[in-house]
Amino acid sequence: MATLLSLEAEEEEQRLAEASRRIGTDAEKSGTALTSLVIRDERPALGGRAIATLAKRNQTQSLPWNRLSVGSPVLMTEEGVSHQRGWRGVVCGRCAQTFEIALAYIPESDQDRPTYRLVLASDEIGRQRQRSAMNEAKNATRGRLAQLRDVLQGDRPLRFAEIEPLTPLDSGLNESQIQAVQLCLSAQDVAVIHGPPGTGKTTTVVELIRQAVRRGERVLACAPSNLAVDNLLQRLIAAGEKAIRLGHPARVLPELQQHTLDLVVDAHADVALARKLIREAQALRDKAARYTRAKPLPGARQELRREASEMMADARRIEEQLVEHLLDTTPILCATLTGLDSQILKDRKFDLVVVDEAAQATEPACWIPILRAGRLILAGDHCQLPPTVVSQSAARQGLATSLMERLIAELGENVLHLLEVQYRMHSAIMGFSSAEFYASKLIAHTSVAGHLLAEMSSVAATALTSTSLEFVDTAGANYDEELDPDGESRLNLAEAKLVCRRVQSLLGAGIAAADIGVISPYAAQVRLLREQLPFEGLEVDTVDGFQGREKEAIIISLVRSNIKGEIGFLADTRRMNVAMTRARRKLIVIGDSATIGGFPFYARMLAYLEQQGAYRTVWEEPEE
């Protein structure tokens, strides 16, 4: 794994260098860079940091499609200068026109009208923490870490205590969710909550954490992304639990920043004394440095500086004691996997470590919290998107296989509980994914099993809104795919026009734009559709961008249409599982059956859609 991390680092650096060399709009096509930005605003932020608001010079111009999200590490460089200065920062906010970047300080330029470039950067600190954690686990010879490592490596058998009856704190839990919590509470080493789309996985995780706290346990709740951690924290706070968020405040949602360690410390009454000592110390330093006509007594200035240093030391001691107290008395700490800082946590251990969205985390990242675990619970769905790995070589050798997926493969059903009731999709939308990925075990809750668009307020009952499934077959209609100009992605112009017509039909029937999502596996098609669908609230994105999301109506543009039957990205069937399960009431898939039908997965999908009476051909479409 350490070797694979090095391969990943090399690939990331190579891509970063390549993105830095590109110029103009060409640099933005990969989605990992933004160019020709200006600083629109700047303001101070927590911990002496600063926040810069970046945008195009034309304030009405929207930013192009990109992969930079809140929490992404970025490198900001000044354009048009021979010496390439760079400032590392973190995306802390974004909208259609602007990006907010948290920096150590605001860049200063010698140019009159400087412009800047943002490039997605690698997280070398996180990678070093992964290497260090794996090395510590590898070399452990005794104690809990060595035992847990042996269990996770298959060298020591799983242990479960007798399952005890459970009185749920959340009265809305179903029987499947209760059983998952019971299994996890009985696990003495490790257990897995397998949560397919819409089954309330995070709700179950929150119940588990709350039950553990009631048993007097201390819990470390983690996830691979800042957004996933914030989602967990938000649910815990809403349930009345006391929790603290570790990590960079700029990476935390604004409404949750008051729960970050930085702000909890700043808001504490004891800090007022520390701040007073710092002000007095600064005044003494200023006095010692001030020039006076009268010659000061021998050693007077040294005495002032010594007194100021003692005050500063007292202030630091007060803050450090407060941090230690908060970390020791708060039952739940929340953080990203790679955001766990040993300088803050020191040698603290936790009775229970929970990793939510574990199927999206690489195994090395999971070893960071495992170092501190008494017991480990992984929650996620390995039938959806795997961890993001840019090095194809590292992915093939195992870096793209999460710890959760590996444990299920090696330890089997004994280690996991499947959540079976889903609260999102119409039963017909659910049916194919349930059969293909979840052994037909999913059950649609009665509240969603038959819901349709036509049942929503202000929506007209039409053929489009009164059914849940539709596949539009473009075979034989010359809906040919093509490479985009830079040759890095694919698009399908004719298919894009058909998507636009379907969106217009949904809008015309009374569906709000915010209730519609358009998904394509190809970035070039996403860019094209965004240009053609300028509706406020309508979301067009890649499969990755829609992970964890849902919409009342989803349209999927498959793009691929060629005589060779090549399907590219579509061969990753987990991506199609994610795309199809974003829809609540209506799913429309547009594609070429002649191209995709030679692939067994899509042959089964086409057969299912035909069985459901959802098959249409583009020849049935009304003429424009």
Side-chain angles (χ1 to χ4, degrees), residues 118-156:
L118 277 184
V119 178
L120 186 65
S122 59
D123 182 6
E124 191 52 44
I125 293 174
R127 192 172 287 119
Q128 184 53 46
R129 287 173 180 166
Q130 294 174 66
R131 290 193 185 100
S132 177
M134 290 190 296
N135 193 50
E136 187 174 340
K138 176 184 175 181
N139 294 325
T141 56
R142 62 173 68 89
R144 185 57 183 145
L145 175 58
Q147 294 173 352
L148 205 49
R149 175 203 62 204
D150 290 347
V151 170
L152 297 175
Q153 294 291 90
D155 297 329
R156 185 186 288 258

Side-chain angles (χ1 to χ4, degrees), residues 59 89 116 139 176 197 244 248 267 294 323 375 455 466 521 572 594 596:
Q59 296 189 44
Y116 299 90
N139 294 325
S176 179
I244 284 181
H248 198 312
V323 168
R375 304 187 329 277
E455 297 169 3
S466 299
D572 184 352
I596 66 173

Side-chain angles (χ1 to χ4, degrees), residues 8 32 46 70 120 129 144 175 217 255 259 269 296 310 312 377 426 431 434 451 460 483 494 531 555 560 587-588 608:
E8 181 75 351
T32 59
L46 303 168
V70 173
L120 186 65
R129 287 173 180 166
R144 185 57 183 145
E175 187 59 33
E217 297 183 352
E255 60 268 28
H259 301 288
E310 288 180 355
M312 292 293 286
I377 303 298
H426 187 288
S434 177
H451 66 178
L483 278 172
E531 292 170 2
I555 303 174
R560 300 312 297 260
L587 173 65
I588 302 170
Y608 175 81

Side-chain angles (χ1 to χ4, degrees), residues 375-396:
R375 304 187 329 277
L376 174 68
I377 303 298
L378 304 173
D381 182 12
H382 58 292
C383 299
Q384 295 188 61
L385 292 183
T388 300
V389 176
V390 297
S391 167
Q392 293 303 307
S393 177
R396 284 193 300 271

Side-chain angles (χ1 to χ4, degrees), residues 12-46:
E12 283 189 0
E13 287 303 318
Q14 186 175 331
R15 292 193 179 196
L16 178 60
E18 184 180 328
S20 300
R21 285 193 298 268
R22 292 183 173 185
I23 60 173
T25 57
D26 186 49
E28 298 178 326
K29 288 182 178 178
S30 66
T32 59
L34 291 170
T35 63
S36 304
L37 301 173
V38 297
I39 298 177
R40 287 273 169 228
D41 189 24
E42 55 187 73
R43 66 179 191 273
L46 303 168

